[in-house]
Amino acid sequence: MGGKQDQDKEAYGKPAKYDPSFRGPIRNRSCTDIICCVLFFLFILGYIAVGILAWVYGDPKQVLYPRNSTGAYCGIGENKEKPYLLYFNIFSCVLNTNIIAIAQNGLKCPTPQVCVSSCPEASWTVEPRQFSQTVEQVFYAANRNFCLPGVPGNMQVLQSLQQELCPSFLLPSTPALGRCFPWTNSTVPELPGISNTSISQSISGLLDSLNARDISVKIFEDFAQSWYWILIALGLALVLSLLFILLLRLVAGPLVFVLIIGVLGVLAYGIYHCWEEYRVLRDKGASISQLGFTTNLSAYRNVQETWLAALIILAVLEGVLLLMLIFLRQRICIAIALLKEASRAVGYIMSTMFYPLVTFALLLVCIAYWAIIALYPLPTHSPAYVFWAPNSSLPGCEKVPMNTSCDPMEQVNSSCPGLMCVFQGYQSTGLAQRSLFNLQIYAVLGLFWTINWVLALGQCVLAGAFASFYWAFHKPRDIPTFPLGSAFLRTLRYHTGSLAFGALILTLVQIARVILEYIDHKLRGAQNPLTRCILCCFKCCLWCLEKFIKFLNRNAYIMIAIYGKNFCVSAKNAFMLLMRNIVRVVVLDKVTDLLLFFGKLLVVGGVGVLSFFFFTGRIPSLGKTFENPQLNYYWLPIMVSILGAYLIASGFFSVFGMCVDTLFLCFLEDLERNDGSADRPYYMSKSLLKILGKKNKGTPGDKKRKK
């Protein structure tokens, strides 16, 4: 029997051997994963080159300013006095295209567009008697400067309308996002082929989706009125997070048992509720045989078999948890002791609690750099016009080459009803423009890789600092003077390549998930149930793979921080060590998750409730200094406070979680390396020694001093 257990342990590697020179994170180490380090630096140089290329050749005005059909920007240059863009026939886009798709395409419509100094204020339509008049008489003389630039004044109005050089109608409009959008209550003219109801619905939907100017002003006013109260709420979240972690040293045991008893109590109440529902329905004779099969799932609530099945499931869960609590009580006590030790470590190395600020700053740099590249799209040149018709399936449109280039100044003669030469976009030329898609993919890959590398850096640095705490026999005397700073410099100097290796593996999986989501989005309308099932399975597998890689990387970084070996060796050693202690891993992981979830719930819930009562005026005023502000949207500062509290709590608790994981791996290695003798004493705390029934007979170095 014992031989079989030894063979099982051998399958997951040999236990760590005693090393008399080991006193925590080794100092004499060399650079690891040099090839990946060089590859990462070359990639960063390329990423910088992409940014320089975007900055030199890019044109952010494409994002900030609208462009007319000739390619000129509205609001700057020759159109400085014309900041708004007017669509000749916005309904040609709204009635045939999804509004969200319009926004994603930069609000482009298949209709001519012109820069104007002000949006139209009244409805107007070209009358039939004006067709024979000139553009000068109908438009320019009446101060209707809405034609495309360069249209001669002596051109007939009918010809200008046929070539779409001037608008055939105007609607009272309001500027939003630099563009003129019609009013919802405007008097709509009679347009051929379009009902007034469709136009009204289109105007309403367009304004509801895009006209955010008034809302943005109100949001800005609310932030101006409540920003200091939001900062106070975030400060409160910071204090609560810090207090929760520091108080774990005193209340970790009672808190964990209260949470476990709470879970058991909830399950017990669920069993009682299911029994009561089952008893009532059983007395009424409501059986599933009477109901039969139905797709209305809510109908199953009224049959006794549903509540009986729920009763059995909850009872099984309750029994399993009780058995686990009985047979795993020692391991739960070990988890509680490690939580207390983690709180103690954080108390000794308080600088680690503020390291998430460094991670946040680096992440901000990564995201801001990518955003700047995305804001500087490569320049485009001359406008492109293509043939377009409202309905290409009508008779006479079969032979018309739709979406092919055309000249807007030439008259369109075709039997296809409504065929026009409309503005499509701007032509792009040059190598840089043709490579825009590849550069954007490179930038997205750089975003994922740099973000994952920054997160890996934070985990490895914190692991190095907390490992220095565990392997200090006399705490705090033997703890290094600057454990966090030493771990930071050590990680950057020796293990940049290992961090890049782990981050690259995770990045490739995340990119695969993004590609799969993109394919699913593009093919959603044409998918059959089998295809959807296959895609769902692939997405589920990739999600599980990403979670596993994150778990493996996290423990590999801990081993890298302690022993200074490369990524593959560290990942293998960490995995084997955890597999040799799989039961302890599961218990500690679940206890820690439960505790941190409760902590986040306490911090975020507390801040959210206080913010709700304060910003809604339900807390009595304490004078002008503490008077709640008058807001347009009281939910806005509440949501910002809740989101900020969640980010702060996540930052603090991520440090605590990293501390627990590091101490746990060190604890497992301590059990394998040492035996409590005079020359091989344990480094664990006295509470852990007491739980395990072990004790130390000496301190490190006693044997040497005796000699």
Side-chain angles (χ1 to χ4, degrees), residues 25 50 305 337 393 428 465 575 637 662 683:
V50 171
E305 286 80 2
S393 61
S428 299
F575 181 75
T662 303
Y683 283 77

Side-chain angles (χ1 to χ4, degrees), residues 475-619:
K475 304 175 180 63
R477 188 183 67 189
D478 296 339
I479 299 176
T481 307
F482 300 105
L484 185 65
S486 301
F488 184 82
L489 297 176
R490 188 168 58 239
T491 303
L492 279 183
R493 180 179 178 182
Y494 296 108
H495 307 303
T496 298
S498 297
L499 302 183
F501 190 13
L504 178 61
I505 296 174
L506 182 59
T507 297
L508 294 178
V509 176
Q510 292 173 339
I511 292 294
R513 288 192 64 193
V514 171
I515 294 174
L516 198 61
E517 290 289 347
Y518 177 78
I519 295 175
D520 185 28
H521 176 73
K522 286 296 183 181
L523 301 179
R524 185 164 296 173
Q527 289 175 5
N528 55 39
L530 179 60
T531 306
R532 286 198 299 269
C533 180
I534 294 174
L535 281 176
C536 183
C537 292
F538 273 115
K539 289 193 289 185
C540 181
C541 292
L542 285 177
W543 180 85
C544 294
L545 180 61
E546 181 182 354
K547 293 298 181 182
F548 174 75
I549 290 177
K550 285 183 177 180
F551 172 78
L552 188 62
N553 285 2
R554 184 183 182 91
N555 291 282
Y557 298 146
I558 296 174
M559 302 300 281
I560 290 172
I562 299 175
Y563 299 105
K565 296 182 180 180
N566 61 52
F567 177 82
C568 293
V569 173
S570 299
K572 176 186 175 183
N573 293 340
F575 181 75
M576 293 300 181
L577 179 62
L578 294 175
M579 289 303 295
R580 292 196 296 268
N581 301 271
I582 187 63
V583 178
R584 286 177 177 149
V585 172
V586 174
V587 172
L588 179 74
D589 183 63
K590 296 309 173 185
V591 170
T592 304
D593 288 346
L594 183 64
L595 192 63
L596 295 185
F597 172 77
F598 177 77
K600 287 182 182 180
L601 186 64
L602 178 66
V603 174
V604 177
V607 172
V609 170
L610 288 176
S611 299
F612 173 78
F613 278 95
F614 178 77
F615 288 113
T616 56
R618 305 192 182 199
I619 297 179

Side-chain angles (χ1 to χ4, degrees), residues 48-60 372-373 376-378:
I48 295 174
V50 171
I52 295 175
L53 183 66
W55 182 69
V56 173
Y57 295 100
D59 190 3
I372 290 174
I373 294 178
Y376 275 76
L378 296 175

